[in-house]
Amino acid sequence: NTWRIVLPDNGRQWKDWKHASTVYSRNRIQTTKYTWFTFLPRNLLRQFHRLGNLYFFFLVVLNWFPQVEVFHREITMLPLVMVLLFSMIKDAVEDYRKYQYDKIINFTKTRVYDK
Protein backbone atom coordinates (compact mmCIF):
# COMPACT_ATOMS: atom_id res chain seq x y z
CA ASN A 1 0.00 0.00 0.00
CA THR A 2 1.49 3.32 -1.08
CA TRP A 3 0.49 6.94 -1.27
CA ARG A 4 1.13 9.13 -4.26
CA ILE A 5 0.69 12.85 -4.83
CA VAL A 6 -1.51 13.78 -7.80
CA LEU A 7 -0.28 17.01 -9.31
CA PRO A 8 -2.66 19.64 -10.64
CA ASP A 9 -3.73 19.32 -14.25
CA ASN A 10 -2.07 22.57 -15.32
CA GLY A 11 -0.06 21.33 -18.29
CA ARG A 12 3.39 21.86 -16.72
CA GLN A 13 4.37 18.19 -16.38
CA TRP A 14 4.77 17.46 -20.10
CA LYS A 15 8.22 15.80 -20.15
CA ASP A 16 6.97 12.55 -18.56
CA TRP A 17 3.50 12.82 -20.08
CA LYS A 18 3.78 9.88 -22.48
CA HIS A 19 4.62 7.50 -19.65
CA ALA A 20 2.12 8.97 -17.18
CA SER A 21 -0.75 9.07 -19.69
CA THR A 22 -0.58 5.30 -20.15
CA VAL A 23 -0.68 4.63 -16.41
CA TYR A 24 -3.11 7.22 -15.02
CA SER A 25 -6.09 9.06 -16.41
CA ARG A 26 -6.28 12.85 -16.32
CA ASN A 27 -7.62 14.50 -13.20
CA ARG A 28 -9.40 17.41 -14.86
CA ILE A 29 -12.89 18.34 -13.69
CA GLN A 30 -15.31 20.27 -15.89
CA THR A 31 -18.81 21.17 -14.71
CA THR A 32 -19.51 24.03 -17.14
CA LYS A 33 -22.27 23.68 -19.71
CA TYR A 34 -20.96 26.06 -22.34
CA THR A 35 -17.84 27.22 -24.17
CA TRP A 36 -17.35 30.56 -25.91
CA PHE A 37 -18.45 29.06 -29.21
CA THR A 38 -21.42 27.04 -28.01
CA PHE A 39 -22.96 29.52 -25.58
CA LEU A 40 -25.43 31.25 -27.90
CA PRO A 41 -26.85 28.22 -29.77
CA ARG A 42 -27.00 25.93 -26.75
CA ASN A 43 -28.50 28.60 -24.52
CA LEU A 44 -31.17 29.49 -27.08
CA LEU A 45 -31.99 25.82 -27.48
CA ARG A 46 -32.38 25.48 -23.71
CA GLN A 47 -34.49 28.66 -23.54
CA PHE A 48 -36.92 27.52 -26.23
CA HIS A 49 -37.52 24.23 -24.45
CA ARG A 50 -39.60 26.26 -22.01
CA LEU A 51 -43.27 26.48 -22.90
CA GLY A 52 -43.63 30.16 -21.99
CA ASN A 53 -40.82 31.20 -24.31
CA LEU A 54 -42.35 29.19 -27.14
CA TYR A 55 -45.69 30.91 -26.54
CA PHE A 56 -44.16 34.39 -26.78
CA PHE A 57 -42.17 33.33 -29.87
CA PHE A 58 -45.44 32.16 -31.46
CA LEU A 59 -47.00 35.58 -30.72
CA VAL A 60 -44.01 37.33 -32.29
CA VAL A 61 -44.30 35.21 -35.44
CA LEU A 62 -48.06 35.84 -35.68
CA ASN A 63 -47.58 39.61 -35.40
CA TRP A 64 -45.32 39.63 -38.45
CA PHE A 65 -48.36 38.86 -40.61
CA PRO A 66 -50.42 42.03 -41.26
CA GLN A 67 -53.73 40.12 -41.25
CA VAL A 68 -53.22 38.88 -37.69
CA GLU A 69 -51.23 41.79 -36.25
CA VAL A 70 -52.73 43.07 -33.00
CA PHE A 71 -49.85 45.11 -31.54
CA HIS A 72 -46.81 46.65 -33.08
CA ARG A 73 -44.15 44.07 -33.90
CA GLU A 74 -41.58 45.62 -31.59
CA ILE A 75 -43.93 45.67 -28.61
CA THR A 76 -44.70 41.99 -29.05
CA MET A 77 -40.99 41.13 -29.28
CA LEU A 78 -40.07 43.08 -26.14
CA PRO A 79 -41.15 40.53 -23.46
CA LEU A 80 -39.46 37.65 -25.27
CA VAL A 81 -36.23 39.56 -25.85
CA MET A 82 -36.09 40.74 -22.24
CA VAL A 83 -36.68 37.26 -20.80
CA LEU A 84 -34.10 35.70 -23.14
CA LEU A 85 -31.56 38.43 -22.39
CA PHE A 86 -31.90 38.19 -18.61
CA SER A 87 -31.79 34.39 -18.73
CA MET A 88 -28.67 34.47 -20.90
CA ILE A 89 -26.94 36.87 -18.52
CA LYS A 90 -27.87 34.70 -15.55
CA ASP A 91 -26.64 31.53 -17.28
CA ALA A 92 -23.41 33.21 -18.39
CA VAL A 93 -22.61 34.41 -14.86
CA GLU A 94 -23.46 31.01 -13.38
CA ASP A 95 -21.33 29.17 -15.95
CA TYR A 96 -18.42 31.56 -15.43
CA ARG A 97 -18.54 30.92 -11.67
CA LYS A 98 -18.50 27.18 -12.36
CA TYR A 99 -15.49 27.70 -14.64
CA GLN A 100 -13.63 29.60 -11.90
CA TYR A 101 -14.43 26.90 -9.33
CA ASP A 102 -13.31 24.16 -11.75
CA LYS A 103 -10.04 26.01 -12.22
CA ILE A 104 -9.50 26.13 -8.45
CA ILE A 105 -10.28 22.43 -8.10
CA ASN A 106 -8.10 21.43 -11.05
CA PHE A 107 -5.05 23.26 -9.68
CA THR A 108 -5.07 21.86 -6.15
CA LYS A 109 -2.86 19.01 -5.02
CA THR A 110 -4.50 15.88 -3.68
CA ARG A 111 -3.28 12.72 -2.04
CA VAL A 112 -4.46 9.45 -3.53
CA TYR A 113 -4.21 6.05 -1.90
CA ASP A 114 -2.97 3.38 -4.35
CA LYS A 115 -3.97 -0.18 -3.63
Side-chain angles (χ1 to χ4, degrees), residues 5-34:
I5 300 292
V6 176
L7 298 174
D9 189 17
N10 60 5
R12 294 184 188 149
Q13 296 82 19
W14 289 108
K15 67 179 170 180
D16 295 330
W17 174 247
K18 292 205 183 234
H19 171 65
S21 66
T22 60
V23 179
Y24 302 113
S25 63
R26 295 178 61 130
N27 62 340
R28 185 169 182 258
I29 294 173
Q30 182 178 2
T31 58
T32 57
K33 296 178 195 173
Y34 310 107

Side-chain angles (χ1 to χ4, degrees), residues 10-106:
N10 60 5
R12 294 184 188 149
Q13 296 82 19
W14 289 108
K15 67 179 170 180
D16 295 330
W17 174 247
K18 292 205 183 234
H19 171 65
S21 66
T22 60
V23 179
Y24 302 113
S25 63
R26 295 178 61 130
N27 62 340
R28 185 169 182 258
I29 294 173
Q30 182 178 2
T31 58
T32 57
K33 296 178 195 173
Y34 310 107
T35 63
W36 286 104
F37 302 113
T38 63
F39 177 74
L40 188 63
R42 289 183 79 188
N43 191 277
L44 284 176
L45 185 67
R46 288 178 59 92
Q47 293 299 326
F48 283 114
H49 274 267
R50 297 181 181 156
L51 189 61
N53 291 347
L54 282 175
Y55 171 75
F56 281 109
F57 181 72
F58 179 69
L59 289 178
V60 167
V61 170
L62 277 180
N63 270 320
W64 281 96
F65 296 108
Q67 300 87 356
V68 189
E69 182 179 4
V70 177
F71 303 111
H72 295 292
R73 295 176 188 150
E74 297 81 15
I75 292 175
T76 308
M77 289 174 52
L78 189 63
L80 179 64
V81 169
M82 295 301 290
V83 166
L84 290 178
L85 184 66
F86 287 139
S87 296
M88 279 185 181
I89 291 170
K90 178 193 70 77
D91 289 343
V93 168
E94 177 182 309
D95 209 52
Y96 182 70
R97 287 182 182 158
K98 284 182 181 181
Y99 168 74
Q100 287 178 328
Y101 184 70
D102 290 348
K103 228 164 93 173
I104 291 170
I105 294 298
N106 286 330

